[in-house]
Amino acid sequence: MSGIVTSADLAGEFGAVARPFFTLGEIERRLRRCLGRVYDEADVQKVHKKKMSVDEMMFGEYIRLLDNEERWDKLGWPLVDRVHFIGLLGRVKDVRNTVMHFNAPSLKAEQLDLLDSFVSMLRLYDPDYGATSMGWAT
């Protein structure tokens, strides 16, 4: 930014920078809730011996958890193709790593679209989650 900077300019810039953080936070919360309702300690430990619950897992571990067809079936999402979902989750993980490690000044439109479509899909399977427009739990 250069020249005269207004509060509207700052708010717009903040929104552009913060949006991926909020969307990723909502994705992770919804995913953990969905998986946490289904998978117990035994399931989690098949992926990571030292972790006790889905809440302790990271995106790569979610992928390993769901990449097993038997565990996927336990999730009970018959309208979602496992391979496609895991592919999307892998792409979300890559975007998450870029954002959280500050490797890119701003995300590309297709990366933002990926996050938006993925969180929209999770909202279908976690409709009772009380999120505000900022993505925070109420």
Side-chain angles (χ1 to χ4, degrees):
M1 294 182 133
S2 64
I4 297 173
V5 178
T6 67
S7 59
D9 294 327
L10 293 174
E13 187 64 22
F14 174 77
V17 171
R19 177 180 166 207
F21 288 95
F22 291 129
T23 305
L24 285 163
E26 183 179 352
I27 287 170
E28 189 147 20
R29 283 188 303 275
R30 286 183 184 275
L31 191 56
R32 283 182 174 174
R33 281 175 48 103
C34 290
L35 300 179
R37 286 191 284 257
V38 175
Y39 301 110
D40 59 16
E41 182 180 334
D43 294 313
V44 170
Q45 289 191 340
K46 288 177 184 170
V47 174
H48 194 292
K49 298 273 185 227
K50 295 183 180 183
K51 297 195 177 175
M52 309 298 264
S53 75
V54 169
D55 289 338
E56 299 173 26
M57 298 176 81
M58 300 186 74
F59 275 85
E61 293 159 339
Y62 302 148
I63 291 169
R64 289 194 303 276
L65 180 72
L66 297 172
D67 202 21
N68 175 283
E69 196 166 339
E70 196 174 299
R71 286 192 300 263
W72 174 262
D73 290 343
K74 189 175 178 180
L75 187 58
W77 291 359
L79 301 177
V80 180
D81 178 71
R82 178 179 60 88
V83 173
H84 180 70
F85 184 86
I86 290 169
L88 289 175
L89 186 54
R91 290 176 50 209
V92 168
K93 175 185 73 94
D94 292 343
V95 171
R96 181 240 175 250
N97 290 344
T98 296
V99 169
M100 296 304 178
H101 298 177
F102 302 101
N103 290 336
S106 62
L107 294 181
K108 297 174 186 161
E110 58 268 12
Q111 292 171 307
L112 292 170
D113 290 344
L114 168 68
L115 296 180
D116 289 340
S117 64
F118 197 80
V119 78
S120 293
M121 178 177 48
L122 289 177
R123 287 175 184 151
L124 297 173
Y125 291 96
D126 187 33
D128 58 331
Y129 180 74
T132 67
S133 61
M134 295 298 289
W136 298 324
T138 56

